[in-house]
């Protein structure tokens, strides 16, 4: 049960990050990649909104992937959580690069 609570706390942090990006009032683009320089953005507010939605969906799906932890850490169902997180992370990167970055990147 403790593992599931920690899993939910992490997923809530991701959703909170998404809400912060959606509600950001600053004209600074919310970065997706860690330690990477941001590209020039056409419409910062819409870009932040799109990235925020991506983080909220990511956090929500991440929470659902933690359900196999409820019976205990030593169940075989934990493989669903592990593989699901890998697929989810790859899907989020693909959506960011092919949809969000492509739509909001300002041409030089």
């Amino acid at each position: 049960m403790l593992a599931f609570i920690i899993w939910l706390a992490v997923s809530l942090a991701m959703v909170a990050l998404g809400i912060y990006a959606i509600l950001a009032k600053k004209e600074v683009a919310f970065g997706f990649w860690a330690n990477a320089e941001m590209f020039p953005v056409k419409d910062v507010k819409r870009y932040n909104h799109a990235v925020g939605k991506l983080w909220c969906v990511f956090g929500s799906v991440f929470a659902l992937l933690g359900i196999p932890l409820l019976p205990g850490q030593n169940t075989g169902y934990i493989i669903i959580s592990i593989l699901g997180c890998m697929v989810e992370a790859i899907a989020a990167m693909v959506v960011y690069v092919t949809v969000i970055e492509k739509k909001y990147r300002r041409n030089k």
Side-chain angles (χ1 to χ4, degrees):
M1 187 63 150
L2 180 62
F4 182 70
I5 292 171
I6 294 169
W7 192 279
L8 277 181
V10 171
S11 66
L12 287 175
M14 291 177 197
V15 171
L17 197 63
I19 292 170
Y20 176 77
I22 290 172
L23 300 176
K25 302 278 185 198
K26 296 184 254 177
E27 286 296 320
V28 177
F30 192 81
F32 181 78
W33 304 107
N35 298 325
E37 192 173 318
M38 255 322 274
F39 58 86
V41 177
K42 289 181 195 175
D43 186 351
V44 175
K45 186 169 179 135
R46 287 186 182 180
Y47 168 82
N48 285 344
H49 189 77
V51 171
K53 283 198 302 189
L54 179 64
W55 276 110
C56 287
V57 169
F58 187 87
S60 301
V61 173
F62 190 80
L64 292 175
L65 287 170
I67 291 175
L69 290 171
L70 282 174
Q73 291 176 318
N74 296 329
T75 65
Y77 296 120
I78 192 70
I79 195 75
I80 295 170
S81 297
I82 294 167
L83 294 177
C85 288
M86 289 174 23
V87 170
E88 180 189 20
I90 292 169
M93 288 184 263
V94 168
V95 167
Y96 179 78
V97 170
T98 61
V99 178
I100 297 174
E101 186 174 337
K102 187 177 179 182
K103 183 175 181 179
Y104 294 105
R105 180 182 284 273
R106 182 176 22 162
N107 296 333
K108 293 181 181 182

